[in-house]
Amino acid sequence: MSLVRWIDFQVLGDHRGSLVAIEHGKIIPFDIKRVYYIYGTAEGVSRGFHAHRELKQVAICVAGSCRMILDDGAHREEVILDCPKKGIVIDEMAWHEMHDFSPHCVLLVLASDHYDELDYIRDYKQFVELAKITRI
Ligand code: TYD
């Protein structure tokens, strides 16, 4: 099964431009408890390099583009995020990295819980070991 799951948002567009509305309990597969966004990323900087034990997220590149790597400990997939009409699901226990941020990239993230550093796995080797146990 592919690690990559997209959510396609309905675009409410007219001659003035486009609008996407995301309402609680509709298209996002969890209750949204936190929203954050990454912007102003300096050239050449990569971010992420972690997985979450429990947290689920949906990332939407609302401006510009970046490249995301998703990794379940056994397989790795790479996608380009460059479309405000689509969100990518970052499940729990999904190692993710973001690279190649374009100038003015804004990555909006919807998250299923509040920020909790204890939920992070920041060591890739530890992640791979934990992912093996989780798969059994
Ligand atoms: P981090 O998750 O490490 O960023 P990234 O994975 O995108 O490289 O977060 C960077 C810093 O911001 C870190 O000190 C934790 C803090 N932070 C919060 O306080 N609240 C949040 O919701 C997030 C996502 C990060």
Side-chain angles (χ1 to χ4, degrees):
M1 203 181 89
S2 173
L3 293 175
V4 177
R5 275 160 49 219
W6 293 105
I7 296 177
D8 291 311
F9 302 117
Q10 187 188 356
V11 180
L12 307 166
D14 58 28
H15 65 280
R16 297 170 298 171
S18 304
L19 185 156
V20 170
I22 299 171
E23 292 188 10
H24 172 81
K26 295 207 170 159
I27 198 164
I28 303 300
F30 50 77
D31 289 349
I32 301 163
K33 286 210 186 151
R34 175 167 53 111
V35 175
Y36 63 91
Y37 42 94
I38 294 169
Y39 69 100
T41 308
E43 197 183 336
V45 166
S46 295
R47 302 198 60 144
F49 299 94
H50 62 254
H52 289 279
R53 297 168 200 275
E54 306 273 347
L55 190 76
K56 294 173 186 292
Q57 303 186 94
V58 170
I60 307 152
C61 192
V62 294
S65 65
C66 65
R67 176 168 62 89
M68 181 178 280
I69 291 174
L70 286 175
D71 182 332
D72 66 2
H75 308 100
R76 196 161 252 247
E77 286 191 46
E78 197 174 282
V79 290
I80 302 294
L81 304 184
D82 61 358
C83 176
K85 296 190 272 190
K86 281 157 70 128
I88 188 164
V89 178
I90 308 170
D91 273 320
E92 69 274 28
M93 291 303 287
W95 183 267
H96 51 286
E97 301 172 10
M98 288 83 76
H99 303 273
D100 302 340
F101 285 86
S102 69
H104 310 302
C105 174
V106 182
L107 189 64
L108 177 72
V109 184
L110 315 175
S112 64
D113 215 335
H114 297 160
Y115 172 74
D116 176 8
E117 185 57 37
L118 295 178
D119 188 59
Y120 280 70
I121 306 163
R122 293 190 184 271
D123 181 86
Y124 186 70
K125 276 193 190 156
Q126 186 195 0
F127 164 71
V128 171
E129 289 308 311
L130 271 171
K132 267 189 214 157
I133 298 166
T134 314
R135 267 196 299 277
I136 294 168

